[in-house]
Every structure is written in structure tokens, then in C-alpha cells.
Amino acid sequence: MSGFRILVGCKRVIDYAVKVRVKPDKTGVVTEGVKHSMNPFDEIAVEEAVRMKEKKLASEIVAVSCGPQQCQETLRTALAMGVDRAIHVLTEPKEYESLQPLHVSKILSKIATEEKVDVVILGKQAIDDDCNQTGQMTAALLDWPQAAFASKVEKSNGDLTVTREIDGGLETIKVKVPAVLTADLRLNEPRYATLPNIMKAKKKPLVTKKPSDYGVDTSPRQEVLSVEDPPVRQAGQKVESVEELMGKLKDAGLV
Ligand code: AMP
């Protein structure tokens, strides 16, 4: 059997190092003029796919990003990391604000079928909406097995053996392909794209599609009522001794 055909999801999100600001009207967060990057868990998904190709376990890797025009930069990064081809599913910026995991899952499942992929690798969650839904929904729509929160992936006789991070420790499962995996933090350390690879990536194929090309209606299924900043942390107090600390804790009824 030749290597797997792999589909990876690459969401463009506000960079993890940016201090996010809520819009004054509380309908969302400020995105204009803010640095964006590939969702960190998607970098891990891309890295895993590229390593599988390097080990000759994969034959082709296709990356998908659904969102506004700038998603092409995210896809170019994936191409520079070693992805072969990219599909940009273009949505208007306003449409992107209300694009939900179910919409993305429908698009990804259509592409997975069209492209005859064996493995879909997504991030375990997007750091902007923290939904942790797309991998699971994509697996359900395709009716494929899923291995979410993967921290190790190995090929064994055409199947995949996946170690998963669970509350009590690690769980190792075997899944038949085709399957959907989602990448957890410890799966690998993604590489940086080198300058020569960034240059080469400019020539790799990138096609633009629309959600309607996949028969997906992106009207929102839910309405955001309000987005709030997290509560501001209260200032602490300094104490001179353990006795004083214990006294204060007792006064506050904490010990
Ligand atoms: P979520 O369910 O929103 O937390 O996202 C989980 C994963 O689904 C992400 O890490 C991506 O791999 C994939 N995903 C979600 N939204 C998009 C998108 N707009 N474009 C491409 N992949 C996406």
C-alpha cells in the first residue's frame, strides 16, 4: 500500500502572544490591525503530517484554511513547512466572524471525500474560540473513527496506533483508516519554515474555493450575546511573617 493521503486544517487565529481586546460593543474581540498566525495546534498537525511524509508513511499532504483572504498567508506557512498543496475556502470577514465548527466540519468532510484522503489531522482546538468540536464533528459527518488529543501516532499494518492524552494519563488506541486525528500539545515540536522553503512555497499550488462550492450554507446557528473581559485580578497583600499570614487567613475564614 502506498502512503496515506493526509488533509490538515490550518486556522488563522489571533497570535497567541497578543493581548486580546474586547470590542466596546461586546460583540466580539478586536481583530483589525492585530497580528494573526496559524493556530498553534494546527502547526503541530502540519508537523505530524510532514513527519509522516518524511518517513514515507504519507504520499501527499493537502492543507485547508476556511476564512478571509489573509488565510492564504497561513496556508503559505503550511506549504513552507512541507505541505504539498493548499485549498483556501474564502469567506467574507463578516461571515468568518460567525463561521462555526459545524460549517468548517461540513467543508472539511466534503474535501476529505473529494480528495480521497486517508487521514484528517486537525488541531485539538482553535485558541480563539476554544471550541474543540471540529475534529469530532468531522469524524461524525464522515462516519470515520476518531482519535482526539493525540500525543503519539504510529502506523501499524495499515491502521494507526494513537496515544491519547486523557485526564488520568495516557490511553493507547488502534483506529482503522480512514480516520480523523486531533493533535495535542505534546505530539511534536513544529519546525520553523526556513527561508528557502518559504521561497519554494510561493510556487506550490493553492486554489481558492467558496463554501457554496461544497454545498455548505454558512448562516450562523448561534448568536453571540456578549463577550466580556476576564475579571481583573485583585491586588495582593504583603505579610511580614507566617504568623501574620495565618492570622489573616483565619480572619478570612480560610483555615
Ligand atoms: P475548534 O473546533 O474551533 O476548536 O477547532 C479545532 C480544529 O479544527 C482547529 O485546530 C483546526 O485544525 C480546525 N479548524 C477549525 N476552524 C478552521 C478553519 N476556519 N479553517 C481550517 N481549519 C479549521
Side-chain angles (χ1 to χ4, degrees):
M1 183 188 166
S2 60
F4 293 140
R5 295 174 54 74
I6 303 184
L7 186 72
V8 286
C10 296
K11 187 174 188 187
R12 176 178 182 267
V13 296
I14 293 182
D15 188 88
Y16 72 94
V18 168
K19 170 118 183 40
V20 174
R21 281 182 300 126
V22 172
K23 284 185 193 166
D25 66 3
K26 297 191 173 180
T27 56
V29 300
V30 178
T31 54
E32 250 165 70
V34 170
K35 182 178 178 210
H36 283 67
S37 309
M38 191 190 305
N39 182 43
F41 294 107
D42 297 355
E43 290 183 348
I44 299 173
V46 169
E47 176 67 32
E48 196 60 21
V50 173
R51 288 187 191 186
M52 286 170 90
K53 191 165 178 203
E54 286 168 346
K55 286 189 225 151
K56 311 252 185 279
L57 301 179
S59 56
E60 191 180 30
I61 311 167
V62 180
V64 177
S65 190
C66 311
Q69 193 60 33
Q70 300 94 314
C71 288
Q72 297 203 0
E73 294 159 23
T74 315
L75 288 169
R76 290 284 169 210
T77 304
L79 292 165
M81 287 172 74
V83 163
D84 299 293
R85 290 193 288 126
I87 302 174
H88 174 212
V89 183
L90 178 67
T91 62
E92 295 311 316
K94 199 85 207 126
E95 191 183 6
Y96 188 50
E97 273 178 27
S98 61
L99 195 74
Q100 288 151 19
L102 182 58
H103 304 133
V104 177
S105 305
K106 286 181 179 175
I107 293 169
L108 292 175
S109 58
K110 275 276 163 58
I111 296 176
T113 310
E114 265 183 22
E115 294 283 344
K116 298 190 173 52
V117 306
D118 305 292
V119 184
V120 176
I121 313 182
L122 306 181
K124 74 163 177 180
Q125 75 191 54
I127 61 165
D128 53 359
D129 59 24
D130 272 348
C131 278
N132 174 7
Q133 296 172 10
T134 311
Q136 294 86 332
M137 286 191 193
T138 305
L141 290 171
L142 287 163
D143 200 14
W144 290 1
Q146 59 173 294
F149 311 111
S151 63
K152 190 171 174 196
V153 179
E154 285 168 316
K155 192 176 176 185
S156 47
N157 300 329
D159 296 332
L160 290 172
T161 303
V162 182
T163 304
R164 307 182 52 238
E165 302 224 358
I166 57 171
D167 264 359
L170 298 174
E171 179 189 58
T172 303
I173 59 168
K174 195 157 102 175
V175 285
K176 292 212 172 306
V177 292
V180 177
L181 313 183
T182 71
D184 212 322
L185 193 62
R186 279 166 281 271
L187 182 58
N188 59 51
E189 269 190 41
R191 70 195 63 193
Y192 289 103
T194 61
L195 194 57
N197 286 342
I198 293 173
M199 300 312 288
K200 272 190 226 153
K202 291 187 203 266
K203 297 205 184 81
K204 290 191 179 177
L206 188 161
V207 295
T208 303
K209 299 278 188 179
K210 294 190 297 299
S212 58
D213 292 331
Y214 301 106
V216 176
D217 170 8
T218 54
S219 1
R221 303 288 185 107
Q222 65 189 36
E223 184 192 349
V224 175
L225 298 180
S226 161
V227 176
E228 312 275 341
D229 272 316
V232 179
R233 203 168 155 222
Q234 299 296 315
Q237 292 178 30
K238 276 194 178 160
V239 290
E240 299 295 333
S241 63
V242 174
E243 288 73 28
E244 192 187 341
L245 171 67
M246 292 309 287
K248 283 194 186 271
L249 290 175
K250 271 191 194 134
D251 291 347
L254 295 171
V255 286

